[in-house]
Amino acid sequence: MAGIVGYGAYVPKYRIKSETIAEVWGEDPDRIQKGLGIMEKAVPASDEDSATLSVEAARIAMKRAQVSPSEIGAVYVGSESHPYAVKPTATMVAQALGTIPNLTAADLEFACKAGTAGMQMCMGMVDSSMVKYGLAIGADTAQGRPGDALEYSAAAGAAAYLIGQDSESLAVIEDTFSYTTDTPDFWRRSKSDYPSHGGRFTGEPAYFKHVQGAFNGLMEKMDEKIENYDHFIFHQPNAKFPKAVAKKLGVSKEKIEPGMLVPTIGNTYSGNAPLALANVLDHAKPGERIFVTSFGSGAGSDAFSIQVTDKIEERRRDGYPLSHFIENKEYVTYAIYAKLRKKYKGM
Amino acid sequence: MKESISLTWRRIPERYKMLGSHCTTCDAHYFPPRMVCPACRRKGKIEQFEFSGNGKIYSFTEIHAAPSGFENQVPYVMAIVELDEGTRCTGQIVDACCKDLKIGDPVEGTFRKILSDDPEGPIHYGFKFRLKK
Ligand SMILES: [Zn+2]
């Protein structure tokens, strides 16, 4: 069985408040904050992209795992904002970590769940002894069209998971289950700067159907029940959806609270569920069980059943916890935000 | 600013991982790396050395008139950093402006884009520094 040998998460320093964005478009900030449940979101600096965020998160994961970079046989970076259209982010990341040259590497893309897809690939490779360790990263510097509802949520962040044998893991991944269909709820054509979405269509037939499909699928496969888990993480496109799906499934509010990051950092897309898991692992006790369900538009969900081992405490002593990056913040105006995100013509 | 692809490629180890050199004869560290120890000359034995990226600000300045390719980043801070291993190097201090900094402040290495101004060209990545909190 495979597990998490090391993990790390990173969020850029800059934040923009929902009310700052609302002011520009003449929206009622209260309505946005209450409706989406997002107070502010993380904004990358002008010299940050998905590759640099990945390296930041992965360096923390490596520090915690205390594994030689040469033992990592696979690096997968999941993102919908890869810096190049053609040239893998995973090559820059592998080079910066020193895992080169004896490894396989590739970029993944599945809207907000490309990071968890990478975790599953690494689990399979570890279980089949193809590699000793595999590194799966979810990273994004997501952009919303100016004035669109997504502008309040599209944020930046990354989380990295070093997957290896369960015997040396800080958390064992007991099982995983996925649920995938062709659902056009959100997309971006290759030459568009910003994504398009199906409005109301993003809810019931997309998010709720797939999250519940993966959740129920894994529960049934493992013959498990909700009472046996201490924490639940559901993908957070906003604060409303994960709360609603938890209620539908009968998961209490308290059990989703530690992983709720979207109100303070926004939706980090491929980093979303992986960052939430990092925040839960930062505080988890040995023996606790975590149920994670990611979601990616297009659409699909990956569910994981995870149990924390007694190695967690010594491993997380090294490297910054996610709260270090969440608390170290600086607010920017809309004008500076537009500069950092290169929204001005001629930049 | 234009840098040839071959030069960028040769500098990747130095820029991505702060790979410098160390003279085992006199224990001096060099960054950027040197092939020969200037102190020991022929007696020096040079090995590859990975710097931690940790250090202190030795001096700094805020750039307002940037070289071509860096115009969109102004204002930004350039500093000479005294690395913990005992040598100095020049680098950008990210996520900060002059009023956030003072000489002697501890910094740590970070990985950022250095240059990406040419939409048709390669993206250059490498180390920069940020305040250690
Ligand atoms: Zn010497």
Side-chain angles (χ1 to χ4, degrees):
Chain A
M1 207 190 287
I4 299 164
V5 178
Y7 73 100
Y10 173 81
V11 174
K13 188 183 179 190
Y14 299 106
R15 301 283 181 281
I16 187 163
K17 291 182 177 167
S18 294
E19 59 184 72
T20 308
I21 299 172
E23 195 183 18
V24 172
W25 304 109
E27 295 277 352
D28 175 10
D30 262 6
R31 199 181 62 86
I32 298 287
Q33 286 168 357
K34 283 200 187 97
L36 296 171
I38 298 170
M39 310 309 286
E40 54 198 55
K41 67 164 186 174
V43 178
S46 60
D47 58 356
E48 290 185 299
D49 63 18
S50 291
T52 69
L53 303 184
S54 294
V55 171
E56 291 284 352
R59 281 182 174 165
I60 297 171
M62 296 287 292
K63 204 180 221 180
R64 288 178 171 160
Q66 292 291 325
V67 162
S68 160
S70 61
E71 290 186 291
I72 296 174
V75 173
Y76 294 114
V77 181
S79 180
E80 56 124 78
S81 51
H82 290 292
Y84 289 93
V86 179
K87 186 186 183 326
T89 309
T91 58
M92 282 91 83
V93 174
Q95 180 87 38
L97 297 175
T99 60
I100 50 138
N102 300 324
L103 82 156
T104 179
D107 286 357
L108 307 173
E109 186 269 312
F110 197 141
C112 294
K113 81 157 195 77
T116 55
M119 289 170 71
Q120 291 178 324
M121 289 166 72
C122 289
M123 286 168 67
M125 293 175 92
V126 166
D127 280 341
S128 62
S129 303
M130 255 181 89
V131 300
K132 189 169 182 200
Y133 301 105
L135 183 66
I137 302 170
D140 258 307
T141 54
Q143 294 242 44
R145 192 186 302 277
D148 188 277
L150 289 178
E151 196 180 14
Y152 295 96
S153 59
Y161 288 87
L162 188 69
I163 308 295
Q165 288 295 334
D166 56 352
S167 55
E168 46 179 314
S169 292
L170 58 87
V172 174
I173 307 177
E174 298 166 321
D175 211 340
T176 182
F177 186 89
S178 294
Y179 188 95
T180 310
T181 73
D182 178 350
T183 307
D185 59 322
F186 170 97
W187 61 89
R188 181 167 63 83
R189 296 289 294 268
S190 62
K191 285 183 180 143
S192 308
D193 288 335
Y194 300 109
S196 304
H197 54 85
R200 305 199 113 175
F201 197 64
T202 57
E204 208 47 58
Y207 181 87
F208 292 97
K209 177 180 161 185
H210 293 81
V211 167
Q212 289 174 95
F215 182 97
N216 292 328
L218 184 55
M219 283 288 184
E220 270 165 45
K221 182 182 175 193
M222 295 180 71
D223 196 20
E224 274 292 355
K225 34 182 198 286
I226 289 169
E227 304 88 271
N228 296 341
Y229 290 89
D230 303 279
H231 305 283
F232 287 86
I233 291 161
F234 297 105
H235 171 64
Q236 304 156 30
N238 49 51
K240 213 166 54 175
F241 280 18
K243 283 180 187 155
V245 84
K247 200 172 169 193
K248 274 189 186 196
L249 293 163
V251 172
S252 71
K253 255 198 222 153
E254 295 71 41
K255 287 190 177 180
I256 62 166
E257 209 43 60
M260 282 296 274
L261 296 176
V262 73
T264 48
I265 62 170
N267 179 4
T268 53
Y269 283 54
S270 300
N272 191 300
L275 275 158
L277 175 59
N279 206 46
V280 171
L281 288 173
D282 277 348
H283 302 100
K285 294 181 191 73
E288 284 190 341
R289 292 178 80 208
I290 308 166
F291 199 102
V292 183
T293 313
S294 67
F295 171 74
S297 290
S301 272
D302 302 324
F304 299 84
S305 174
I306 295 169
Q307 181 162 28
V308 179
T309 75
D310 51 16
K311 291 190 177 62
I312 185 116
E313 273 150 0
E314 55 156 301
R315 292 278 169 82
R316 72 184 168 202
R317 220 173 285 154
D318 282 324
Y320 292 120
L322 178 53
S323 58
H324 171 86
F325 298 109
I326 292 179
E327 286 157 18
N328 178 28
K329 61 185 173 185
E330 184 179 330
Y331 291 108
V332 294
T333 60
Y334 194 88
I336 295 291
Y337 163 73
K339 175 189 170 194
L340 294 175
R341 300 308 279 131
K342 299 181 180 65
K343 287 176 194 287
Y344 293 120
K345 228 176 165 176
M347 280 186 85
Chain B
M1 196 184 89
K2 271 271 180 287
E3 185 177 271
S4 75
I5 289 181
S6 57
L7 180 60
T8 300
W9 179 68
R10 275 200 305 277
R11 284 184 175 165
I12 280 178
E14 160 192 338
R15 285 185 177 164
Y16 282 25
K17 283 178 70 67
M18 287 196 84
L19 287 182
S21 52
H22 172 233
C23 172
T24 55
T25 311
C26 69
D27 201 31
H29 293 85
Y30 298 104
F31 189 83
R34 284 181 185 256
M35 304 295 285
V36 177
C37 175
C40 307
R41 306 281 179 136
R42 245 175 311 165
K43 286 183 196 133
K45 265 201 81 183
I46 288 282
E47 61 173 13
Q48 196 178 61
F49 181 83
E50 186 179 341
F51 284 82
S52 65
N54 294 324
K56 285 187 174 72
I57 297 178
Y58 177 78
S59 182
F60 65 98
T61 185
E62 201 168 82
I63 307 288
H64 289 265
S68 93
F70 296 87
E71 300 94 335
N72 291 341
Q73 291 187 47
V74 293
Y76 63 90
V77 177
M78 289 300 292
I80 298 172
V81 171
E82 180 100 54
L83 296 167
D84 280 359
E85 294 85 357
T87 186
R88 287 175 199 156
C89 82
T90 305
Q92 192 176 331
I93 310 276
V94 301
D95 298 346
C97 55
C98 262
K99 65 172 168 44
D100 304 327
L101 306 171
K102 56 184 193 307
I103 285 169
D105 277 348
V107 293
E108 59 190 357
T110 174
F111 184 78
R112 296 287 176 110
K113 278 189 288 191
I114 292 179
L115 195 62
S116 58
D117 59 324
D118 177 4
E120 300 289 327
I123 305 170
H124 307 258
Y125 292 93
F127 72 89
K128 293 185 182 180
F129 297 96
R130 68 172 168 229
L131 269 183
K132 203 170 180 171
K133 292 216 167 127

